[in-house]
Every structure is written in structure tokens, then in C-alpha cells.
């Protein structure tokens, strides 16, 4: 079992090296909102690009779109988010702290012996499935569950709390008293469903086909204390795969396997993942599972794969009055006639980009003890896959004189058209290497006096820290090749 990593150390590292900052930090930050810094933004973009390439370019029958964050408010009535996108919450009267009921109980379970904890979880799941709020409150009372801040069990009743952010559209309140409320989308999927007909017709798409998109989503999460694992503003990468009713089981299994294969193509060992099949299904789903990764906070969902039947398209058909149908002229072997008109079924794959980022950086983060008998030494290194690393090549003249910076800059200008480079001439070479290790740069080259004589440079490899002499002219291709995206 790989050893557990310390989330606090990773958070500290992300801040110190320009990956992630608390949002508006000079005003003390905003809870569960984060900004990506210079290296974080690049790493995030590389993960997004790899997903996009794997999900669109590598599939003849999947196309990408970019729908707006604002959508017609009826979208969210049709999708069920206005009525159902809520979590049962409870407030502690003394600390005024609000908890998600399931999280409060789950935290208590962690303090109980395994049997007792499992029994409590089973009872909680049954009550949640029934929306039995009185029963949930009684359960909290029965186990004397206390607030971690006030230490008391002085609880309010359990209430529903909608997770969507609402705002007003237009400059002034509507004069006719109409409701101008719009929501910030809580998921990107609905932008795909409402464009189903547009894309199918204009792209002449034939079922089965997929529509992918990446973009921001917003949820007013209540318990949001796990760094970028649970944010109020986050990014999703979703793909809805439209298929013929009756084939959903087969496609669900295919996508389940394909998405895990994608995760493994990041170089993360299989032991770090597990599937969590949902026993309790949402009313519209006929199968659902999560891909869980072993985060520093334990195995948790990074991606969901859901077989959503025709629920979403059917709802949009009903609320919009527009036919969300597809005419399938393939021949049904049973009847010898075309399959004809139907509302397609959907299998969706939905991954959080920020969670994927946390997964990648947690996996890559290593504190290495390099001490020898003579001297204590250690380094922090991000062993990122080269194709995801924010910078690919560090370029370092050994000294600031003798024409070495000029040679180094020449290499830099040649390479920067193909990949991200970083030029540095300050401090000792050893210190410069360590800084590149800390942000995960897989290659560094040093230009020295010998370079002027024989046009060779020293290339240094991040993970093994070994060095070798290679021709200056070979550097660009060597790095470009090693940093190319794998094809999963
Ligand atoms: P959870 O149970 O952790 O709240 P969920 O089941 O509500 O997640 P989905 O609605 O299936 O999540 O969303 C798909 C993906 O979006 C999740 O697998 C996750 O990676 C990501 N995601 C969801 N909520 C958040 C959030 N608040 N912050 C960051 N990523 C999120």
C-alpha cells in the first residue's frame, strides 16, 4: 500500500510554489474558493487538454462544445435541480455552525468500533433514502453526536438547503413583477442536453455519439473544508454519450472501463483506485458508479459514471415542448425495419478538474531523504508525468558570463515555440535544480564552457537526478518526445 501523504504539506507546497492560492487572500480569503497560480493554471490546463484530446480527438463520434454558464431558469426545473438539488442540513444552536447531516454522522462513525459504525451508516442510508428528516434528527440525538466547535448537542431540526447559487438577470428588478432569477449552473451536463438537437443536426451525428464539454460549475457547498476537493466554484469535464435504448448496460460497462484506463494512463498505479458502485440509485439512473482515488484524505470520488436513461432529454422535451427525438434508420434485426424514432438514452462520464488536479499533485508529491553519511539532505519533488508538467525544460547557463547566457537564450527561443521553458541564471546549479524539482520540471539543461567547444550540454533528469552529456541540437526533440501525450 503506498504511504499516505500529508494534505497540509501539499497545500503548503501548492501555495509556496505558485500552484494554488486562497481566493482574494489579501482580504483573508473566501471559503472554499481558490485561485490557480502560474504553475497551477498551466498544470490544470494540461490535465484539461489531455482529457479533451482523449475524449474528443480520439473518438470519431464525440464532439466538444462550450455552453454558457447562465441557462434559461426552466432548465433547472426540468433537470430537477430546483426541487431536488439539496442536502439535509442541521445547525448547532450554540456554535451557529451548519453541518450536512450525512457528514456529521459519518464523522461520528469514524469514532465508533467498526460493527457499530456500519450499523449506524446503514440506518442513516435508509433514512436519507426516505427523506426522513425527523428520523435523522432522532438518530443524531440517540448517538449524542456533538458539534466539534461548541461541544454541545443543541441542534435545530434537519432542513433541506438548495445548493444552487441564484442571482438576478438584467439591471433592474422586472417591472411586471416577473421572476428574473437565474442560477449559476451547478453542473455542465445540462448545457449538453439542451444542445442535443443542435449538435446532432448540425454535426449530422449518428447514434451512438457523445458531446463533451469542460467548464465552471457552482455549488453552495456547506461543508467545504477540504482544499480543492470540495469547492464552491469548480470545473467539470463531462461527456454525455447518447445511445439506443436497450444498449445502455453495454455502454455503461465500456465507459466505466475506458475511464479507469484513462486514469491509469496518467501513470497512477491501479492500487490507488477503486470503483464504488452505487447501491442506492437516483430515480432517473439505472446504474451508477464512482471512480475513487486514494486521496490524502482517503478513498473518495474523483469521477462518476452514470447511466441516466432518457430522463434528462424526456424532461427537457416535456418542459420545452420541443421533440428531443432521434430517427434511427439502422435496421432492427428483430423486426427487419428501422429502429425509428426514440428519445436516446444517456451514459455520462463526469470528472471534476480540480479533484483530478488534487489527485495528480498528491500522487506526484514526494519528500525524499537524500542524506549521505557526510551530510543531511532532502528534497521535495513533484514526480508529475512529463506531459502534464507545467514546465518541461529548465535552461541554465552555468555562469552569467563568457557568452553562456547568449547560448542558453538561443536554445530557449528555439524550444519555447514547442513547449514551456524556464530560463534561470541565479544561484548555484544545485539550488536551481531543486527549484525545478519542486514544480515538477522533468528536464533541465546546463550550458557550460564545454558547450562552446563541442556543442554539447548536460541534461539532468528530475526523478533519477542523473545527468548526461547530449548534443545541444538534440535537446528540443528529446524533450518534445518525452513530453508528448500518451494515447489511452
Ligand atoms: P460529492 O458526492 O463528492 O458531493 P457528487 O456526487 O455531488 O460529489 P457529481 O454531481 O457526480 O458529484 O459531480 C461530478 C464530479 O464533479 C465529481 O465526481 C467531482 O469530481 C466533481 N465535483 C462535484 N462537486 C464538487 C465540488 N464541490 N468541488 C470540486 N469538485 C466537485
Amino acid at each position: 500500500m503506498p504511504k499516505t501523504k500529508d494534505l497540509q504539506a501539499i497545500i503548503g507546497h501548492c501555495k509556496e510554489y505558485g500552484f494554488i492560492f486562497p481566493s482574494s487572500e489579501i482580504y483573508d480569503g473566501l471559503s472554499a474558493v481558490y485561485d490557480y497560480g502560474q504553475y497551477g493554471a498551466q498544470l490544470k490546463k494540461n490535465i484539461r487538454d489531455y482529457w479533451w484530446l482523449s475524449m474528443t480527438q480520439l473518438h470519431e463520434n464525440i464532439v466538444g462544445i462550450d455552453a454558457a454558464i447562465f441557462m434559461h431558469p426552466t432548465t433547472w426545473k426540468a433537470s430537477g435541480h430546483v426541487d431536488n438539488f439539496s442536502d439535509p442540513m442541521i445547525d448547532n444552536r450554540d456554535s451557529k455552525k451548519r453541518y450536512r447531516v450525512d457528514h456529521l454522522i459519518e464523522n461520528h462513525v469514524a469514532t465508533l468500533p467498526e460493527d457499530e459504525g456500519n450499523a449506524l451508516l446503514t440506518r442513516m442510508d435508509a433514512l436519507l433514502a426516505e427523506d426522513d428528516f425527523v428520523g435523522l434528527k432522532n438518530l443524531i440525538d440517540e448517538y449524542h453526536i456533538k458539534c466539534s466547535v461548541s461541544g454541545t448537542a443543541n441542534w435545530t431540526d434537519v432542513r433541506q438547503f438548495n445548493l444552487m447559487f441564484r442571482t438576478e438577470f438584467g439591471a433592474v428588478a422586472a417591472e411586471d413583477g416577473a421572476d428574473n432569477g437565474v442560477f449559476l449552473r451547478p453542473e455542465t451536463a445540462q448545457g449538453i442536453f439542451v444542445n442535443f438537437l443542435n449538435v446532432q443536426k448540425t454535426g449530422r451525428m449518428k447514434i451512438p455519439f457523445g458531446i463533451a464539454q469542460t467548464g465552471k460549475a457552482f455549488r453552495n457547498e456547506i461543508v467545504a473544508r477540504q482544499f480543492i476537493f470540495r469547492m464552491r466554484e469548480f470545473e467539470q469535464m463531462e461527456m454525455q454519450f447518447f445511445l439506443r435504448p436497450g444498449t445502455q448496460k453495454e455502454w455503461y460497462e465500456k465507459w466505466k472501463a475506458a475511464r479507469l484506463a484513462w486514469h491509469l494512463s496518467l501513470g497512477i498505479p491501479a492500487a490507488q483506485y477503486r470503483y464504488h458502485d452505487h447501491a442506492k440509485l437516483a430515480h432517473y439512473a439505472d446504474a451508477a458508479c464512482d471512480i475513487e482515488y486514494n486521496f490524502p484524505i482517503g478513498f473518495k470520488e474523483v469521477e462518476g459514471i452514470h447511466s441516466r436513461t432518457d430522463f434528462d432529454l424526456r424532461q427537457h422535451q416535456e418542459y420545452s415542448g420541443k421533440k428531443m427525438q432521434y430517427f434511427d434508420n439502422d435496421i432492427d434485426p428483430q423486426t427487419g425495419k428501422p429502429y425509428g424514432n426514440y428519445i436516446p438514452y444517456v451514459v455520462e462520464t463526469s470528472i471534476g478538474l480540480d479533484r483530478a488536479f488534487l489527485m495528480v499533485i498528491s500522487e506526484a508529491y514526494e519528500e525524499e531523504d537524500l542524506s549521505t553519511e557526510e551530510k543531511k539532505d532532502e528534497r521535495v519533488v513533484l514526480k508529475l508525468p512529463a506531459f502534464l508538467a507545467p514546465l518541461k525544460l529548465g535552461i541554465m547557463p552555468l555562469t552569467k558570463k563568457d557568452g553562456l547566457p547568449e547560448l542558453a537564450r538561443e536554445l530557449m527561443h528555439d524550444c519555447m515555440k514547442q513547449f514551456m521553458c524556464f530560463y534561470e541564471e541565479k544561484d548555484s546549479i544545485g539550488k536551481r535544480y531543486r527549484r525545478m524539482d519542486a514544480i515538477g520540471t522533468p528536464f533541465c539543461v546546463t550550458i557550460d564552457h564545454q558547450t562552446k567547444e563541442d556543442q554539447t550540454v548536460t541534461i539532468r533528469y528530475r526523478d533519477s537526478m542523473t545527468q548526461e552529456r547530449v548534443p545541444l541540437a538534440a535537446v528540443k526533440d528529446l524533450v518534445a518526445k518525452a513530453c508528448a501525450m500518451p494515447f489511452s
Side-chain angles (χ1 to χ4, degrees):
M1 210 47 197
K3 76 174 188 330
T4 322
K5 300 191 183 172
D6 176 10
L7 182 63
Q8 288 313 319
I10 293 169
I11 297 174
H13 189 84
C14 280
K15 180 154 181 234
E16 190 179 341
Y17 286 93
F19 284 88
I20 298 176
F21 309 122
S23 159
S24 27
E25 196 188 5
I26 56 168
Y27 297 105
D28 294 335
L30 185 63
S31 165
V33 186
Y34 290 90
D35 295 341
Y36 285 81
Q38 63 277 27
Y39 300 127
Q42 187 64 43
L43 173 55
K44 187 176 170 198
K45 177 182 182 306
N46 293 349
I47 300 172
R48 188 194 299 112
D49 286 352
Y50 180 53
W51 182 89
W52 187 262
L53 173 107
S54 317
M55 297 300 276
T56 65
Q57 195 173 322
L58 296 187
H59 294 272
E60 276 180 43
N61 58 346
I62 304 182
V63 291
I65 64 164
D66 183 11
I69 287 171
F70 287 129
M71 299 184 70
H72 192 284
T74 308
T75 310
W76 307 110
K77 290 206 181 87
S79 69
H81 283 82
V82 170
D83 294 329
N84 299 322
F85 194 55
S86 50
D87 282 327
M89 314 294 300
I90 193 164
D91 293 8
N92 183 273
R93 289 204 175 89
D94 299 323
S95 67
K96 310 278 181 258
K97 212 174 142 42
R98 180 169 288 169
Y99 293 85
R100 246 173 79 169
V101 167
D102 55 334
H103 289 172
L104 181 70
I105 297 177
E106 278 167 10
N107 283 343
H108 187 68
V109 164
T111 67
L112 298 176
E114 203 176 326
D115 291 359
E116 218 180 307
N118 287 341
L120 174 54
L121 279 183
T122 310
R123 287 178 65 194
M124 177 186 83
D125 283 346
L127 293 166
L128 283 172
E130 298 282 303
D131 280 338
D132 183 349
F133 296 163
V134 176
L136 285 164
K137 173 74 193 307
N138 290 342
L139 199 63
I140 290 168
D141 289 342
E142 183 187 324
Y143 278 83
H144 307 292
I145 298 176
K146 298 200 175 80
C147 164
S148 60
V149 177
S150 66
T152 70
N154 188 9
W155 299 110
T156 61
D157 287 340
V158 173
R159 283 184 299 242
Q160 288 283 49
F161 182 91
N162 196 294
L163 299 184
M164 282 196 294
F165 283 99
R166 205 188 119 104
T167 185
E168 293 291 315
F169 223 47
V172 284
E175 281 165 18
D176 57 3
D179 184 358
N180 275 347
V182 289
F183 298 101
L184 298 184
R185 67 179 175 198
E187 62 175 30
T188 55
Q190 298 304 324
I192 294 179
F193 290 125
V194 299
N195 278 299
F196 163 72
L197 287 178
N198 285 336
V199 175
Q200 193 273 320
K201 294 212 165 97
T202 57
R204 296 185 300 132
M205 307 300 291
K206 228 172 125 27
I207 271 184
F209 72 90
I211 306 178
Q213 85 162 324
T214 71
K216 288 280 178 121
F218 303 82
R219 297 184 187 177
N220 203 356
E221 300 279 5
I222 302 308
V223 179
R225 275 180 282 103
Q226 289 161 328
F227 192 40
I228 55 169
F229 181 82
R230 192 173 298 286
M231 303 158 90
R232 296 203 165 103
E233 173 178 343
F234 59 101
E235 195 164 335
Q236 288 187 315
M237 307 192 286
E238 298 197 296
M239 193 277 300
Q240 314 290 322
F241 200 71
F242 299 92
L243 41 95
R244 185 183 297 145
T247 61
Q248 69 270 25
K249 186 84 196 129
E250 174 197 334
W251 281 109
Y252 171 71
E253 295 300 336
K254 274 192 189 155
W255 280 112
K256 210 172 138 175
R259 292 306 304 152
L260 185 61
W262 183 87
H263 284 268
L264 300 179
S265 76
L266 302 172
I268 300 177
Q272 289 287 75
Y273 289 102
R274 69 182 187 198
Y275 287 121
H276 171 235
D277 292 311
H278 291 200
K280 196 177 73 206
L281 293 172
H283 57 284
Y284 52 83
D286 68 1
C289 79
D290 301 332
I291 295 179
E292 294 185 340
Y293 167 74
N294 188 15
F295 285 100
I297 46 175
F299 273 100
K300 301 237 183 258
E301 169 178 350
V302 58
E303 171 154 14
I305 292 116
H306 311 125
S307 176
R308 300 179 66 109
T309 68
D310 61 359
F311 174 81
D312 303 88
L313 289 181
R314 190 172 285 283
Q315 287 289 102
H316 287 305
Q317 173 166 296
E318 190 184 321
Y319 278 77
S320 69
K322 309 275 177 347
K323 276 216 172 336
M324 293 287 175
Q325 292 196 350
Y326 173 82
F327 184 79
D328 189 339
N329 50 22
D330 279 1
I331 302 297
D332 178 353
Q334 305 274 324
T335 62
K337 294 196 187 113
Y339 284 99
N341 265 318
Y342 55 77
I343 301 179
Y345 270 40
V346 170
V347 169
E348 114 180 316
T349 71
S350 173
I351 174 168
L353 177 52
D354 311 270
R355 277 192 200 175
F357 184 108
L358 183 60
M359 169 178 85
V360 164
I361 208 153
S362 304
E363 193 64 34
Y365 181 88
E366 297 284 352
E367 291 168 6
E368 284 185 350
D369 184 359
L370 304 174
S371 302
T372 55
E373 282 186 1
E374 294 87 59
K375 128 167 161 290
K376 270 195 94 56
D377 193 12
E378 58 181 17
R379 70 165 181 165
V380 174
V381 52
L382 293 184
K383 293 188 169 171
L384 294 167
F387 71 99
L388 292 182
L391 301 177
K392 310 300 189 198
L393 178 65
I395 298 174
M396 307 167 176
L398 186 65
T399 65
K400 288 188 207 164
K401 47 186 201 298
D402 303 332
L404 301 185
E406 288 74 9
L407 268 178
R409 290 244 183 248
E410 215 177 289
L411 177 65
M412 168 103 174
H413 285 117
D414 189 27
C415 288
M416 72 201 307
K417 292 171 208 138
Q418 281 204 22
F419 47 79
M420 284 283 181
C421 303
F422 189 80
Y423 176 87
E424 194 166 34
E425 55 183 28
K426 278 192 288 295
D427 294 327
S428 71
I429 286 287
K431 275 198 186 144
R432 288 185 249 170
Y433 284 159
R434 291 297 161 85
R435 278 202 291 270
M436 288 293 107
D437 289 345
I439 55 175
T441 310
F443 304 100
C444 290
V445 292
T446 302
I447 315 283
D448 56 19
H449 294 93
Q450 196 186 326
T451 311
K452 292 210 295 192
E453 284 157 29
D454 64 5
Q455 279 75 51
T456 64
V457 292
T458 302
I459 187 158
R460 186 255 192 193
Y461 302 98
R462 176 196 67 199
D463 296 353
S464 62
M465 298 193 291
T466 51
Q467 306 183 9
E468 63 181 325
R469 216 63 211 178
V470 297
L472 178 60
V475 171
K476 185 169 75 174
D477 286 352
L478 187 154
V479 175
K481 205 162 158 230
C483 295
M485 290 197 190
F487 295 101
S488 69

